[in-house]
Amino acid sequence: MQTQCISEHLEFEGFDGHKVVARFDGGAITSDAGALLLREVARAIGLFDRVAACFVDGRDPNCLVHSVRTLVGQRIAAIALGYEDVDDHDTLRHDPVLGL
């Protein structure tokens, strides 16, 4: 029996003028495409905002580079994708999908 492959592509919301399309024809690739699904689900339920709201940010606002929401989102995404160590994040920022 021959398998039925879906040759169509999937389009996700882009970022900063970049189009995000899931295909299997090579090019800039990632093994963490589940991050796109996580992003869509997180947006739909407000996951990062809701978790970030649980924290009191006592840092000096004049010295901040990243918001609590950004830090929480990065941590949740990394854990969900199997990167439990924060030291992986510097390498992961070069991944095409995680850069979104």
Side-chain angles (χ1 to χ4, degrees), residues 53 68 89 95 98:
V68 170
H89 293 217
D95 183 283
L98 298 180

Side-chain angles (χ1 to χ4, degrees), residues 41-92:
V41 170
R43 281 185 180 163
I45 66 171
L47 177 65
F48 300 157
D49 291 323
R50 292 168 63 188
V51 174
C54 297
F55 293 89
V56 175
D57 191 355
R59 301 175 295 167
D60 181 351
N62 297 317
C63 298
L64 296 180
V65 175
H66 302 289
S67 68
V68 170
R69 185 199 181 281
T70 299
L71 297 172
V72 165
Q74 177 187 20
R75 193 72 181 110
I76 290 172
I79 291 170
L81 296 170
Y83 302 104
E84 65 275 356
D85 297 323
V86 177
D87 61 348
D88 293 323
H89 293 217
D90 192 44
T91 303
L92 293 173

